[in-house]
Amino acid sequence: RIDDGAARLIKGAIDRDETTYRFLSPTLGMLHVQTVNDAERDGTGRLVGLHGVIQDVTHIKRAEAAAREARERAEQYLDIAG
């Protein structure tokens, strides 16, 4: 499946696409992966290659969620304390 970012990359509208996807694993729960794709073009702008990386960013997303939840709890305690 080609998403909008990849299609724009192939058409030449952009030279880099970064997208994060979520996957639900029956054994590991929610996983997050980030793809980074760069277009290689010749002198006329014609696409001659794509280079990409897929990276597991689950630990980053989980840390961000934990920090967000801690901040919300702290704000609730401050509201209660007045």
Side-chain angles (χ1 to χ4, degrees):
R1 176 188 130 201
I2 296 180
D3 64 20
D4 182 55
R8 292 176 56 220
L9 185 73
I10 292 167
K11 290 179 184 176
I14 57 175
D15 288 324
R16 172 174 274 223
D17 177 54
E18 296 183 27
T19 305
T20 301
Y21 298 94
R22 295 183 308 160
F23 297 94
L24 183 58
S25 165
T27 56
L28 300 174
M30 187 64 67
L31 302 176
H32 301 265
V33 297
Q34 181 180 41
T35 62
V36 179
N37 297 295
D38 291 303
E40 181 180 347
R41 301 188 188 284
D42 65 13
T44 66
R46 186 176 65 90
L47 182 67
V48 294
L50 290 174
H51 307 278
V53 176
I54 299 173
Q55 181 178 7
D56 182 356
V57 294
T58 302
H59 62 289
I60 295 170
K61 293 296 186 178
R62 289 180 179 164
E64 289 172 349
R68 200 168 33 254
E69 290 168 8
R71 187 172 41 254
E72 290 170 1
R73 279 194 306 276
E75 288 172 358
Q76 289 174 350
Y77 291 138
L78 291 172
D79 287 345
I80 291 170

